[in-house]
């Protein structure tokens, strides 16, 4: 018996979120474009101040500014790097061997072999029952070490709509941990959006994020080659791709409306989101596990209000070619009550 470390769920899936601009170019011609008017970044001792100015969908000038500690921008996700399958496999193997040696199965020997670039762990024992128990334990240890390795680096195993397994950034967990870091924006947004209404708050947030320049973030200078940056780093760099912007949108909306239920929706080459808000006639919605979500497109540069999405997104969703991750999280705070928002006239 042998346990082969090089499994399919230790490698990045080929549907990784890539060039949403190329996908979007066929449907942006009839849409208004988000326009960022100005972006400034100032460093002072131990802090960073950012300021954004843009035109909203009514061509009204909007502005947001905030200051956070330098640590807030970079420390929380300092372990996030581009996922490298060979490096990950070696690290997980090393952790698995260490865990086995700390608690081996009596009478079972563990051997490491290398062949054509693949590393495998082999068990041997004259006792078939002990050998079977050893295989079960080794498989479980490898699973636990893989999950630990990925969690430490903000990745997780992801199941695509067709059942294919792969590794991708843990967008939900990154959004969850980022939400408290964005609360400095809350008073400004709620002062600007005078009616504290789910749709108005969401539309303002979407238009702000749509105005941030799109970038696939493939260079090591901007994202360590991962094609994804966490929310505060996206704001710091003033650029991001589709799944980065979706994660920022979810984190910012969570900081504004802590009890709101959201989903992140992944289709081939793109990502969008849904929010559990009262639907209006014509809204594009999705029902997942009994809850109806109004869909939104944060990527830009097309300015889509909540309930309107790109044609390619709509076609993929209607065909069932999507995967969903829930972002249902509640925190104890003196925040806006979602029911109160829902009852406010739109």
């Amino acid at each position: 018996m042998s346990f082969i470390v090089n499994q399919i769920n230790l490698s990045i899936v080929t549907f990784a979120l890539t060039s949403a601009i190329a996908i979007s170019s066929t449907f942006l011609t009839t849409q208004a474009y988000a326009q960022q008017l100005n972006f400034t970044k100032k460093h002072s001792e131990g802090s960073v101040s950012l300021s954004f100015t843009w035109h909203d969908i009514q061509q009204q000038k909007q502005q947001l500014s905030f200051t956070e500690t330098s640590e807030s921008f970079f420390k929380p996700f300092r372990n996030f790097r581009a996922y490298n399958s060979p490096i990950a496999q070696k690290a997980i193997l090393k952790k698995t061997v260490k865990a086995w040696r700390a608690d081996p199965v009596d009478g079972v020997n563990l051997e490491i072999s290398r062949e054509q670039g693949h590393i495998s762990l082999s068990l041997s024992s004259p006792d078939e029952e002990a050998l079977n128990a050893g295989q079960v334990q080794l498989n479980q240890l490898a699973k636990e070490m893989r999950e630990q390795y990925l969690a430490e680096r903000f990745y997780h195993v992801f199941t695509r709509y067709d059942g294919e397994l792969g590794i991708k950034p843990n967008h939900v967990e990154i959004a969850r941990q980022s939400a408290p870091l964005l609360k400095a924006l809350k008073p400004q947004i709620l002062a600007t959006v005078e009616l504290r209404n789910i749709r108005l708050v969401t539309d303002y947030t979407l238009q702000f994020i749509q105005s941030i320049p799109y970038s696939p973030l493939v260079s090591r200078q901007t994202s360590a080659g991962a094609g994804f940056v966490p929310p505060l780093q996206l704001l710091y760099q003033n650029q991001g791709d589709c799944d980065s912007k979706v994660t920022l949108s979810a984190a910012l909306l969570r900081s504004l409306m802590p009890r709101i239920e959201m989903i992140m929706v992944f289709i081939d080459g793109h990502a969008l989101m849904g929010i559990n808000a009262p639907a209006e006639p014509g809204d594009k919605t999705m029902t997942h596990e009994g809850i109806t979500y109004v869909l939104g497109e944060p990527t830009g540069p097309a300015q889509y209000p909540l309930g309107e999405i790109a044609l390619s997104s709509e076609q993929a969703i209607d065909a069932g070619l999507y995967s969903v991750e829930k972002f249902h999280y509640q925190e104890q705070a003196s925040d806006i009550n979602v029911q109160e928002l829902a009852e406010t006239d739109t």
Side-chain angles (χ1 to χ4, degrees):
M1 283 188 173
S2 66
F3 174 80
I4 306 300
V5 176
N6 186 25
Q7 298 178 342
I8 186 171
N9 55 4
L10 290 180
S11 59
I12 287 184
V13 290
T14 56
F15 83 110
L17 305 168
T18 58
S19 190
I21 284 293
I23 294 171
S24 301
S25 62
T26 60
F27 59 76
L28 294 182
T29 55
T30 62
Q31 292 290 324
Y33 285 81
Q35 182 182 7
Q36 187 178 83
L37 304 176
N38 189 45
F39 168 72
T40 61
K41 175 168 53 183
K42 296 182 180 179
H43 290 261
S44 59
E45 187 173 352
S47 67
V48 179
S49 298
L50 303 180
S51 179
F52 303 83
T53 307
W54 73 98
H55 273 154
D56 65 18
I57 202 166
Q58 286 83 32
Q59 292 301 299
Q60 298 296 311
K61 185 183 291 187
Q62 302 291 343
Q63 195 268 340
L64 280 177
S65 300
F66 75 109
T67 299
E68 266 294 348
T69 65
S70 300
E71 283 191 350
S72 295
F73 281 96
F74 302 107
K75 187 175 181 180
F77 304 102
R78 62 189 180 279
N79 290 334
F80 184 84
R81 296 288 187 276
Y83 183 80
N84 183 298
S85 184
I87 291 175
Q89 290 168 18
K90 290 178 183 178
I92 294 166
L93 177 69
K94 185 177 180 179
K95 286 176 174 284
T96 302
V97 171
K98 183 178 180 180
W100 170 273
R101 288 175 176 169
D103 185 25
V105 175
D106 291 340
V108 179
N109 296 319
L110 175 68
E111 298 178 355
I112 303 174
S113 61
R114 295 173 174 81
E115 183 178 353
Q116 295 181 347
H118 296 289
I119 304 174
S120 63
L121 304 181
S122 300
L123 301 178
S124 61
S125 174
D127 185 336
E128 184 176 356
E129 185 176 344
L131 186 61
N132 289 334
Q135 186 66 61
V136 170
Q137 178 164 315
L138 186 61
N139 289 340
Q140 181 61 31
L141 288 173
K143 180 177 181 293
E144 292 174 359
M145 295 305 105
R146 180 193 64 194
E147 291 175 351
Q148 182 185 100
Y149 177 89
L150 295 176
E152 289 171 351
R153 290 156 180 80
F154 299 97
Y155 282 87
H156 70 157
V157 177
F158 178 70
T159 304
R160 203 171 82 137
Y161 59 82
D162 59 3
E164 184 178 355
L165 296 176
I167 305 298
K168 75 167 186 60
N170 191 339
H171 299 93
V172 167
E173 181 60 22
I174 292 171
R176 186 188 70 80
Q177 293 194 30
S178 298
L181 304 175
L182 294 167
K183 284 191 173 180
L185 291 170
K186 178 177 177 177
Q188 296 179 68
I189 293 176
L190 297 184
T192 302
V193 185
E194 295 180 1
L195 289 176
R196 296 188 175 189
N197 166 276
I198 294 175
R199 183 172 291 266
L200 296 180
V201 171
T202 303
D203 277 342
Y204 184 92
T205 300
L206 289 175
Q207 290 167 33
F208 164 52
I209 295 172
Q210 288 162 357
S211 74
I212 296 173
Y214 175 90
S215 171
L217 297 172
V218 294
S219 72
R220 290 191 174 275
Q221 286 75 18
T222 57
S223 66
F228 173 84
V229 287
L232 261 73
Q233 291 184 32
L234 188 158
L235 293 174
Y236 180 88
Q237 296 174 14
N238 190 40
Q239 58 179 342
D241 65 353
C242 55
D243 62 326
S244 302
K245 287 193 172 191
V246 164
T247 306
L248 170 59
S249 300
L252 184 51
L253 288 171
R254 171 66 72 237
S255 72
L256 294 166
M257 303 180 289
R259 298 179 182 87
I260 202 74
E261 296 173 325
M262 290 178 278
I263 54 173
M264 299 183 190
V265 184
F266 301 95
I267 62 179
D268 286 345
H270 192 48
L272 58 157
M273 67 180 301
I275 185 167
N276 181 19
E280 296 184 352
D283 280 349
K284 180 62 180 177
T285 64
M286 172 189 294
T287 300
H288 178 71
E289 296 182 353
I291 300 175
T292 298
Y293 302 87
V294 183
L295 298 176
E297 289 267 18
T299 301
Q303 289 184 308
Y304 288 103
L306 184 65
E308 293 185 21
I309 62 174
L311 177 60
S312 58
S313 298
E314 186 170 351
Q315 290 172 338
I317 290 168
D318 289 344
L321 306 179
Y322 63 87
S323 303
V324 173
E325 290 187 351
K326 293 192 300 183
F327 186 31
H328 292 194
Y329 176 74
Q330 295 183 5
E331 64 181 69
Q332 300 299 318
S334 56
D335 294 294
I336 299 174
N337 184 286
V338 167
Q339 185 62 36
E340 176 183 317
L341 285 172
E343 292 172 354
T344 304
D345 291 337
T346 58

